[in-house]
């Protein structure tokens, strides 16, 4: 008995003392490969100016090499136009393709910037619910994302935000439909207020474009999305850590 116990203790301690040993490596093994499909407007899209536009490129670049990350977001889209123009059908086709390969397929959905120009939040909410159900029907996993903040500041340094009710609606739908939620709206406001207007402007695609991002902006906000994703699915996803950028984001130190 004593010998057995000693042997067991030895086995356990030697396993702990040997990082990468088969015993330790066993835990995260057998994970299904993951793909991502992104649905949204220009604040997610990979825009015409290479690597600018939305956070999508930066998010995709935060993933392990060879992780499919298909950005189907479209400039100017509302939830309604995205469905009516057949863009959502293209997203569904991409999701089907990944699911058919046996991959766990996470689908981010972020709208609000254009929806707010045409209808009250509940209209977007109804369309988000349609999207969530359609994605689930083909075995994708919807992940609702609240709108990236615009970079409009009051003179006192706080963000002048108009997207709040659309972010709240997205949160409501995530609760009703029991989806994962990434509160990018909140995280981006917190970050922007810490770095301030001058540093925020350096992330804009062009001077005074407080909506779209340049390549550096996609890196920063893509990383914020990656970190929110990792927080929502701790250590389950092929996200490559970037401790330097993450530390700067958490502390509100400008990276560019
Ligand atoms: C973004 O678009 C450029 C071409 O304009 C392409 O080379 C790049 O792979 C795209 N990135 C993503 C993440 O889709
Ligand atoms: C939601 O979709 C409906 C059509 O089903 C459309 O009338 C409405 O404008 C859409 N809402 C938004 C905010 O796009
Ligand atoms: C999207 O696909 C569905 C099912 O095939 C079809 O009924 C619908 O008309 C399509 N929508 C558009 C806008 O093409
Ligand atoms: C900053 O200014 C805005 C607009 O005047 C105001 O609504 C907000 O309460 C102010 N915030 C702080 C923290 O002073
Ligand atoms: C940007 O905004 C500033 C201040 O409002 C203005 O003076 C300048 O002309 C604008 N620049 C461009 C390129 O629109
Ligand atoms: C994901 O979150 C876990 C738990 O907080 C953390 O230990 C890990 O470093 C994070 N991974 C990445 C890639 O950021
Ligand atoms: C991004 O940041 C780098 C390093 O600070 C800078 O050289 C580059 O000009 C920036 N790119 C844009 C598009 O502002």
């Amino acid at each position: 008995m004593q010998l057995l116990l000693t042997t067991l203790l030895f086995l356990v301690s030697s396993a702990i003392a040997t990082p990468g040993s088969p015993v330790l490596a066993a835990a995260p093994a057998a994970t299904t490969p993951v793909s991502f499909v992104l649905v949204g407007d220009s604040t997610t899209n990979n825009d015409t100016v290479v690597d600018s536009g939305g956070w999508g490129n930066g998010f995709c670049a935060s993933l392990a090499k060879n992780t499919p990350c298909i950005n189907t977001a479209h400039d100017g889209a509302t939830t309604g136009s995205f469905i009516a123009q057949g863009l959502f059908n293209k997203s569904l086709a991409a999701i089907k393709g990944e699911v058919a390969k046996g991959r766990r397929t996470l689908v981010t959905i972020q709208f609000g910037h254009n929806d707010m120009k045409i209808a009250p939040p509940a209209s977007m909410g109804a369309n988000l619910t349609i999207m969530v159900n359609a994605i689930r029907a083909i075995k994708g996993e919807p992940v609702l994302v609240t709108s990236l903040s615009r970079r409009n500041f009051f003179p006192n340094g706080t963000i002048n935000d108009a997207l709040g009710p659309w972010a709240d609606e997205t949160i409501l739908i995530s609760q009703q439909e029991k989806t994962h939620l990434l509160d990018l709206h909140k995280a981006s406001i917190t970050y922007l207020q810490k770095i301030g207007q001058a540093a925020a402007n350096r992330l804009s695609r062009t001077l005074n474009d407080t909506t779209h991002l340049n390549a550096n902006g996609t890196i920063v906000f893509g990383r914020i999305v990656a970190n929110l994703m990792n927080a929502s699915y701790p250590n389950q996803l092929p996200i490559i850590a970037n401790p330097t950028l993450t530390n700067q984001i958490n502390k509100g130190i400008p990276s560019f």
Side-chain angles (χ1 to χ4, degrees), residues 5-73:
L5 196 62
T6 311
T7 309
L8 275 174
L9 282 173
F10 171 75
L11 284 174
V12 168
S13 60
S14 61
I16 289 167
T18 317
S21 72
V23 175
L24 285 181
T31 44
T32 310
V34 176
S35 296
F36 293 87
V37 174
L38 314 185
V39 172
D41 55 31
S42 62
T43 63
T44 300
N45 193 16
N46 183 12
D47 222 323
T48 45
V49 177
V50 174
D51 291 333
S52 80
W55 52 261
N57 316 60
F59 172 74
C60 294
S62 307
L63 302 173
K65 208 166 167 279
N66 300 327
T67 303
C69 187
I70 304 168
N71 194 340
T72 67

